[in-house]
Amino acid sequence: MSTRDLHTHSTASDGALAPASLVAAAAGAGLRELALTDHDTAAGLEEAAAAARVHGLQFIPAVEISVTWSSRLLHVVGLNIDPHAPVLCRGLAAQQQVRLTRAETIAARLMRAGVHGALEGAQRLAGQGQIGRTHFARFLVEEGHAASISAAFRRYLKAATPRDEKWATLEDALDWVHAAGGVAVLAHPLAYGFTGAWLSRAIEAFKAARGDAIEVVCGTSTPEDIARSARYARRYDLFASVGSDFHGYHEAFLRLGRLQPLPGDLRPVLC
Ligand code: AMP
Ligand code: MN
Ligand code: MN
Ligand code: MN
């Protein structure tokens, strides 16, 4: 098992655990190295870093940035960032505005689908954290509209999510990460539902924008997934990352501390 996990979420975005509790859980699960990668925010990093000092865990400040590329959604993880870097802070502030506007659109569409009070409900579940679709999904489950988070995505959120999302461009996201001294990782390459041709195109665009690494081992990876992602890392000469995408909710994302090791010939990111 890998003792590093470079992709996790806390209540600063759509995770179930507060940053300090996440760090405690990671230490308890036997991890030595942890990155907190909340969606479009660095708000949980200070609390997590302080907890990591207590638990003797190596902590990597990080963020997961939503990107619109060719009318599609990509996620870029920025590892080892300076959360106070002005370029990054300005970029994340713009993303947070997109989140709020999008949440209003989603709520309006859910209203038309017969779901009332979704904005207030999702905001309540998000608390001080960045609002996201997981909060809507949890609200839909709470209110009995869906039996599970994945069912809520399937039945409601797929249709309610606007198609013309205005997240950061790939170039902007990578510039923010690099301006903050970080390393840019293409997150969960097999989770976008792309065909092989589209995935190659996305990775080429990522590489052209000076992307550094790709997640090869994810929480949900099968051995075949790891082998396939590893081929992309080799073909495009990218460093390799490992990250569970732990949220603490969804069935599939509960692999904190139980990640497979990277294939031995790959170059691990940040080593
Ligand atoms: P957002 O950043 O608001 O677009 O929400 C994206 C997040 O929603 C992902 O990081 C996951 O946590 C969650 N998510 C997306 N699709 C699904 C799904 N099919 N089932 C469960 N969770 C999902
Ligand atoms: Mn998430
Ligand atoms: Mn993601
Ligand atoms: Mn994630």
Side-chain angles (χ1 to χ4, degrees):
M1 294 290 151
S2 176
T3 56
R4 69 186 335 205
D5 189 334
L6 304 181
H7 189 155
T8 64
H9 294 272
S10 76
T11 48
S13 65
D14 59 358
L17 303 179
S21 309
L22 170 75
V23 169
L31 288 173
R32 300 244 172 87
E33 211 181 331
L34 179 76
L36 175 61
T37 58
D38 275 308
H39 296 286
D40 302 304
T41 181
L45 298 179
E46 216 167 290
E47 179 184 322
R53 285 192 287 276
V54 173
H55 288 279
L57 203 75
Q58 191 180 339
F59 180 69
I60 293 158
V63 65
E64 181 171 19
I65 302 175
S66 313
V67 165
T68 302
W69 170 78
S70 284
S71 308
R72 287 159 174 81
L73 177 69
L74 296 178
H75 281 174
V76 170
V77 163
L79 294 175
N80 222 5
I81 50 157
D82 167 6
H84 302 295
V87 171
L88 177 66
C89 291
R90 276 197 297 276
L92 296 182
Q95 297 279 94
Q96 291 163 13
Q97 197 53 53
V98 175
R99 281 196 172 273
L100 288 175
T101 310
R102 182 181 71 149
E104 287 167 6
T105 306
I106 291 174
R109 291 183 178 189
L110 288 175
M111 179 94 84
R112 287 201 288 279
V115 177
H116 293 267
L119 188 57
E120 296 69 23
Q123 265 164 346
R124 173 175 52 78
L125 292 169
Q128 300 296 305
Q130 285 306 311
I131 195 165
R133 287 182 292 169
T134 306
H135 303 111
F136 283 98
R138 285 176 54 205
F139 172 76
L140 288 162
V141 172
E142 259 189 27
E143 295 287 301
H145 294 287
S148 67
I149 293 200
S150 35
F153 269 90
R154 223 174 21 249
R155 264 212 247 133
Y156 287 95
L157 293 171
K158 205 162 173 248
T161 305
R163 283 172 198 279
D164 56 343
E165 292 187 290
K166 303 245 167 12
W167 299 114
T169 65
L170 199 45
E171 290 74 15
D172 281 346
L174 269 61
D175 284 350
W176 303 343
V177 170
H178 290 144
V183 165
V185 185
L186 182 66
H188 42 64
L190 306 186
Y192 302 113
F194 291 171
T195 60
W198 269 103
L199 186 52
S200 294
R201 234 171 275 166
I203 298 172
E204 276 158 28
F206 176 76
K207 181 80 184 174
R210 300 196 306 117
D212 303 291
I214 186 169
E215 272 179 10
V216 170
V217 174
C218 305
T220 52
S221 297
T222 64
E224 293 73 29
D225 292 338
I226 294 173
R228 186 167 168 223
S229 305
R231 285 199 291 276
Y232 286 108
R234 292 184 196 105
R235 188 186 309 158
Y236 294 100
D237 193 27
L238 292 162
F239 287 90
S241 190
V242 291
S244 63
D245 209 359
F246 177 80
H247 285 71
Y249 287 112
H250 334 138
E251 315 76 13
F253 296 159
L254 289 170
R255 307 278 166 80
L256 192 67
R258 293 195 287 145
L259 288 173
Q260 294 302 308
L262 282 175
D265 65 305
L266 299 182
R267 294 175 302 150
V269 70
L270 294 183
C271 276

